[in-house]
Every structure is written in C-alpha cells, then in structure tokens.
Amino acid sequence: MVQETFVGFLTSLPNYDCRQPLEGYLFSIAAHKLTDLLRRQRRRPTIPLADAGSDPRQPLARGCPASSLARSGERRGLEEAALAAALAEQIAHWRRRGQWDRLKCGELLVVRG
C-alpha cells in the first residue's frame, strides 16, 4: 500500500498544490488506493454467522447466499492451483538455465513479501 501510494504521488505530482499539507494529500491517495484494492478483491464487511442471542436454526437475513460462497471457494482454489503451477514452471525454467540469482530473488519475494 505504501509503495502504491508513493507511486500514485509521483504520477499525480503535477496536480499537487504545495500550499496544502503533504500528509493530507498522501492520505487521500492511500485511501483511494485502498478502496481500489478492496473493490478488486470484492471484499465486503464480515457478517457474524449468528448473534449471541439469536436462534441458530433461523436463516440469516443478510450475507452471501450459499451458492456465492461455494463459487468463491472454488474460484480461490482454481486461482491457487494456477499460481502454484505457474510458479513451479518458472522455477523449473530458472533451474534448467542455471539462473540461480533469479531463483534466489523469486524465493525472497515469496518468503519476505
């Protein structure tokens, strides 16, 4: 988020008014970047499965339907499998070519983020 905020700041630098506080400008960019990220991830506020005083046999009035939750889980599984296959292919490619520096960098990206 921080990196994206500063990249956004650099690209919007011609629009920056130096009479305004830099902190507020950066926070507004960060807020927009975070909103965009949450939209891309289709995140929604979490909804408790049941209230403490409610009857657990009653269906929930809010939330995603079961079919939507199942599709989300299936999609997430497919995405994880595709990512794992792509990483395995890339690692094998680097190993065949003896590109150990690239392999080390890739490992650091995964391990350290």
Side-chain angles (χ1 to χ4, degrees):
M1 252 355 280
V2 173
Q3 180 179 353
E4 289 294 322
T5 300
F6 282 110
V7 169
F9 172 67
L10 288 175
T11 57
S12 69
L13 201 52
N15 301 323
Y16 174 62
D17 181 6
C18 61
R19 296 173 292 194
Q20 300 297 322
L22 178 61
E23 183 179 87
Y25 191 69
L26 289 174
F27 275 117
S28 67
I29 293 172
H32 285 97
K33 295 291 182 182
L34 182 58
T35 302
D36 291 344
L37 175 70
L38 293 175
R39 281 186 188 140
R40 279 194 308 271
Q41 293 179 348
R42 296 184 179 143
R43 297 255 323 250
R44 297 180 183 161
T46 57
I47 299 170
L49 293 178
D51 296 332
S54 68
D55 183 358
R57 294 171 292 174
Q58 293 295 323
L60 292 173
R62 304 177 309 217
C64 298
S67 60
S68 174
L69 294 174
R71 280 194 308 271
S72 293
E74 290 171 356
R75 185 179 62 240
R76 189 172 24 259
L78 290 171
E79 290 170 352
E80 288 174 2
L83 179 61
L87 284 173
E89 183 180 330
Q90 187 62 52
I91 289 169
H93 175 74
W94 286 335
R95 289 179 71 191
R96 280 193 306 271
R97 290 182 164 220
Q99 295 174 322
W100 306 112
D101 288 340
R102 289 181 183 215
L103 189 58
K104 289 177 191 176
C105 288
E107 182 182 32
L108 284 173
L109 284 172
V110 172
V111 173
R112 300 290 299 190

